[in-house]
Amino acid sequence: MATMRTEGGSSAGDGYGHGRQTVDDAIEIGAGTHIQTKWLIDGNKTKKDQNDILVQGGCISISWEWVDGWAAVANIGGVPSLCISMNFVLVWVSLRRCGFRQQQLKQKRKKGGRFAVHMAKLPNSIGRSAPRSNEGMRLIFSAVVGVMLGYLFGVSFPTVNITKLHFPSSIISYIEDRNSGITTQTLLNHAWASANRHKKNNSDSSAEKIPKIYVPTNPKGAERLPPGIVVSETDLYPRRLWGDPSEDLNSEPRYLVTFTVGISQKANIDAAVKKFSDKFTIMLFHYDGRTTEWDEFEWSKRAIHISVRKQTKWWYAKRFLHPDVVARYDYIFIWDEDLGVEHFNAEAYIGLVRKHGLDISQPGLQPDKGLTWQMTKRRGDQEVHKVTEERPGWCTDPHLPPCAAFVEIMATVFSRDAWRCVWHMIQNDLVHGWGLDFALRKCVEPAHEKIGVVDAQWIVHQAVPSLGNQGNAENGKAPWEGVRARCRKEWEIFQTRLADAEKAYYISQGITPPNSTLV
C-alpha cells in the first residue's frame, strides 16, 4: 500500500524554495514484520503516477540511498541465491551510475536534493549512514548492507502472503540502466516468474512420479489404503486407558464362551463359568436387562456383558460375534443357560476336539433327561462319535442329518473357520436358530467327519424354559407357547430360503438343480 502527500510549498518548503512530496510504502513480511519506506523527493522532479509490483511467495526489503536523484539496492528474499544475484545486479547498476555523476553529486547536495528511508518494526534493522565526508564509503556501506539484508531476509522469510508494492514511476525510471533498458520492475517480475515456474514444475513432476494407492485385495472400502495400515480383524480383549499399549495384555485368551442368561439362572451360570479357565474369554448376553446383580461374582468383573431385552443367543451372535471380531479365538462356545456341567472340563474338551478333527461339535447329553436326538446321546464306551442310528425312516442317507453331520444348537462349539461360514448363514430376522442344526454341514467338508459329539466330556440339559417365559401372552395362550410357535415358523422359513438359494445358484451356473439337498 502507498500514500503520497505534499509537504510545504515554495514559501515553506526545504529552504531552497522547493516543495517536497513524501511517498510511504508499507511492506508486510510474515510473522508480524512491517517495513515502511518513506520517499522524500524534490517536487519539481517527481512524477505523480505510480507503478505496482506484485510479489508472491517470498519477501522483499527495499533500501534506497539517494545519490544524485537515484542509486538503489534491492533485496529479494525467498531464495537466497536469487537475493544475492539481484543485489549484485542492482548494486552494480548503482555504482556504475554513481561513478559518472561523482562531481555532480557534490553540487546537487548543496541544492537540497535528498532522499530518506525509514524502516519500522524490522528486527536488527541496519539503517545507518556513514559520515557525509566520505561519499565513497557511503556507497560501499550501502552495497554491503543491501547484500546482507537480502540474504538474511531470504533465509528468515521463505514464504509470505501476497503483497503489493507501489513505486512512483520516477523511482523506477531512475533505476533504469540507460544502456540495457532493463528496469527494476522487469527484473523483479522475471525473478518471481522463474521461481514460480520452478515450483510448479517440481510439483507436477512429483505428482506424476507418485501413483495413487489402490489395492483391490484390501477389504471392501479400504482399497485406497496401504496394506500395512489395514486392520481387518479385532478382538474382545479389554485394554487399559493408560500406559504403553504393548503392555496392556498379560494374557491373550484363545477361546471364547458365551451364555445367554437371565438372573434366575445365576447360580447355574456361576457353576458353568468355573469350568472354564483363564484361557477363555467369558461373555454374557443378558436377555432380561439385569447386569449389576452379577457383580457378586469375581469372574463377572472380567467378563463382557451385553444386554438387550428379550433377545436370543442367535440374535446376539449375529450382531456381536462377527468372524472378524472373534478371529483371535480358536474355538467359540455358544451355549444356553440351562446346562449342568458337573462332568465337563473345558480344556479337556478342547483336547479331544483337536484330536478327532472336529470343526463343529457338542458335549454328549446325559441319556435320561432332555434328549431329543439319538445323535446327541452320550455313549460311555468311546471318546467321540460321529454317526448314529435313528428311528426308522428318519435318515435317507447314513452320512446326512440326523444320523451324521449333526449336532444340536443348545451347546454348540465351532472352530474359527467353521464359525466364519456359519455366521454368514444365520438370518437376521430368524432369531431362534431352528433349522440351523440341519444346515451346519454346509460349512465343513466332509461333514460326517468334521461334525461330532464328544462323549468323554458330557453335560446335562436341564430343560428350563427361562427364555420362553420372555414371550408375550396372546389369545389366552401362555408366553412360552407363542415362542414355540415362532420357533416352528422360523424352521419352515429357513428351509425354504436355503432350498431357494441353492436352486437359484445351480440355475445361474447352467446346472439342473437336484431334487433336494435338504433333509
Side-chain angles (χ1 to χ4, degrees):
M1 53 187 168
T3 60
M4 179 176 288
R5 65 179 181 274
T6 302
E7 297 182 358
S10 59
S11 60
D14 55 8
Y16 295 92
H18 299 291
R20 292 179 296 167
Q21 291 181 328
T22 299
V23 179
D24 296 341
D25 281 284
I27 309 172
E28 294 184 2
I29 308 179
T33 304
H34 178 80
I35 300 176
Q36 180 177 341
T37 308
K38 291 185 178 180
W39 316 91
L40 300 179
I41 305 168
D42 284 355
N44 61 350
K45 293 182 180 180
T46 304
K47 296 181 182 180
K48 293 184 179 181
D49 57 322
Q50 302 176 2
N51 291 332
D52 296 340
I53 297 177
L54 181 63
V55 182
Q56 293 180 323
C59 59
I60 287 185
S61 66
I62 306 295
S63 63
W64 299 89
E65 181 67 33
W66 185 257
V67 180
D68 185 28
W70 88 277
V73 179
N75 307 318
I76 303 176
V79 184
S81 61
L82 179 60
C83 300
I84 296 172
S85 299
M86 184 59 70
N87 274 311
F88 275 115
V89 169
L90 294 177
V91 169
W92 178 80
V93 173
S94 300
L95 293 177
R96 180 184 178 201
R97 175 70 174 174
C98 295
F100 284 112
R101 301 301 298 269
Q102 184 76 23
Q103 298 299 325
Q104 289 82 347
L105 171 63
K106 297 179 180 179
Q107 298 175 2
K108 294 280 185 176
R109 189 184 305 121
K110 294 179 180 180
K111 294 180 179 181
R114 53 192 165 276
F115 179 80
V117 178
H118 172 67
M119 304 180 77
K121 296 185 184 178
L122 179 63
N124 300 324
S125 175
I126 304 175
R128 306 288 183 268
S129 300
R132 291 180 174 272
S133 61
N134 193 334
E135 297 297 336
M137 289 300 296
R138 291 182 63 197
L139 291 176
I140 295 173
F141 183 76
S142 297
V144 172
V145 168
V147 173
M148 292 175 64
L149 288 179
Y151 179 78
L152 291 175
F153 286 163
V155 173
S156 302
F157 305 104
T159 59
V160 67
N161 292 331
I162 295 178
T163 308
K164 203 168 189 180
L165 304 180
H166 304 274
F167 291 93
S169 58
S170 59
I171 300 301
I172 300 298
S173 63
Y174 280 137
I175 304 174
E176 182 178 3
D177 184 339
R178 294 178 180 178
N179 295 326
S180 65
I182 299 176
T183 66
T184 300
Q185 179 154 359
T186 302
L187 291 171
L188 293 176
N189 291 341
H190 177 73
W192 286 115
S194 299
N196 288 335
R197 283 197 302 270
H198 179 71
K199 182 178 180 180
K200 184 177 185 299
N201 291 338
N202 286 345
S203 177
D204 293 342
S205 61
S206 298
E208 293 176 359
K209 292 179 181 178
I210 303 177
K212 292 183 178 180
I213 294 175
Y214 189 85
V215 185
T217 56
N218 278 357
K220 184 178 180 181
E223 293 87 355
R224 291 178 175 82
L225 297 177
I229 199 62
V230 174
V231 181
S232 59
E233 297 177 348
T234 185
D235 57 62
L236 295 172
Y237 304 150
R239 292 183 176 271
R240 302 178 301 177
L241 303 181
W242 65 93
D244 189 333
S246 65
E247 300 174 354
D248 283 349
L249 304 177
N250 294 324
S251 63
E252 297 184 16
R254 301 306 304 168
Y255 316 113
L256 171 67
V257 57
T258 73
F259 295 95
T260 305
V261 302
I263 196 63
S264 62
Q265 294 294 312
K266 182 171 63 173
N268 199 54
I269 293 299
D270 178 50
V273 167
K274 291 176 179 177
K275 293 289 184 174
F276 295 87
S277 69
D278 58 5
K279 295 181 181 179
F280 288 78
T281 294
I282 308 298
M283 178 179 282
L284 299 187
F285 299 135
H286 298 270
Y287 62 75
D288 61 356
R290 300 173 65 177
T291 59
T292 57
E293 290 92 333
W294 296 83
D295 288 345
E296 66 179 87
F297 304 120
E298 187 63 28
W299 57 261
S300 179
K301 299 174 183 177
R302 302 187 304 271
I304 298 171
H305 299 262
I306 300 177
S307 177
V308 182
R309 293 178 181 272
K310 297 187 177 183
Q311 299 302 321
T312 71
K313 69 177 181 180
W314 300 110
W315 183 92
Y316 283 109
K318 185 66 172 178
R319 287 150 183 84
F320 299 105
L321 300 183
H322 187 281
D324 289 342
V325 173
V326 299
R328 301 294 292 272
Y329 301 109
D330 296 336
Y331 291 94
I332 299 99
F333 292 61
I334 302 180
W335 281 19
D336 290 348
E337 62 180 338
D338 57 343
L339 303 175
V341 294
E342 181 181 354
H343 306 286
F344 178 82
N345 179 281
E347 291 192 47
Y349 182 92
I350 293 293
L352 292 171
V353 164
R354 293 185 188 277
K355 176 181 177 180
H356 293 276
L358 299 179
D359 283 327
I360 301 175
S361 64
Q362 75 162 75
L365 295 178
Q366 183 174 314
D368 59 350
K369 192 171 185 180
L371 186 64
T372 302
W373 306 98
Q374 290 296 315
M375 179 64 184
T376 59
K377 179 180 178 181
R378 172 184 175 254
R379 298 179 184 178
D381 57 348
Q382 52 191 346
E383 290 181 332
V384 168
H385 71 271
K386 302 177 182 179
V387 296
T388 192
E389 292 184 2
E390 263 294 351
R391 298 176 181 87
W394 279 34
C395 298
T396 58
D397 187 320
H399 289 166
L400 293 179
C403 291
F406 176 80
V407 293
E408 291 190 80
I409 59 173
M410 71 175 71
T412 321
V413 180
F414 302 93
S415 69
R416 181 192 300 109
D417 293 339
W419 177 245
R420 184 170 290 276
C421 172
V422 172
W423 183 90
H424 286 89
M425 190 166 54
I426 298 171
Q427 306 293 288
N428 283 324
D429 57 335
L430 306 182
V431 298
H432 289 288
W434 279 38
L436 190 62
D437 42 11
F438 281 83
L440 294 176
R441 63 188 179 89
K442 303 287 185 182
C443 288
V444 292
E445 183 67 32
H448 65 279
E449 293 291 339
K450 298 291 185 178
I451 300 176
V453 176
V454 178
D455 299 294
Q457 296 295 322
W458 50 283
I459 60 176
V460 176
H461 184 205
Q462 299 170 341
V464 178
S466 300
L467 184 58
N469 292 331
Q470 298 293 312
N472 194 32
E474 293 179 345
N475 302 321
K477 295 182 179 179
W480 68 267
E481 292 182 277
V483 173
R484 182 55 61 91
R486 168 74 179 247
C487 291
R488 294 192 182 100
K489 182 64 175 179
E490 286 191 5
W491 191 354
E492 294 175 5
I493 294 172
F494 181 77
Q495 284 187 310
T496 300
R497 286 182 185 176
L498 184 55
D500 291 346
E502 289 186 342
K503 181 178 179 180
Y505 170 78
Y506 287 125
I507 292 175
S508 69
Q509 299 298 311
I511 302 172
T512 302
N515 291 333
S516 176
T517 59
L518 301 176
V519 176

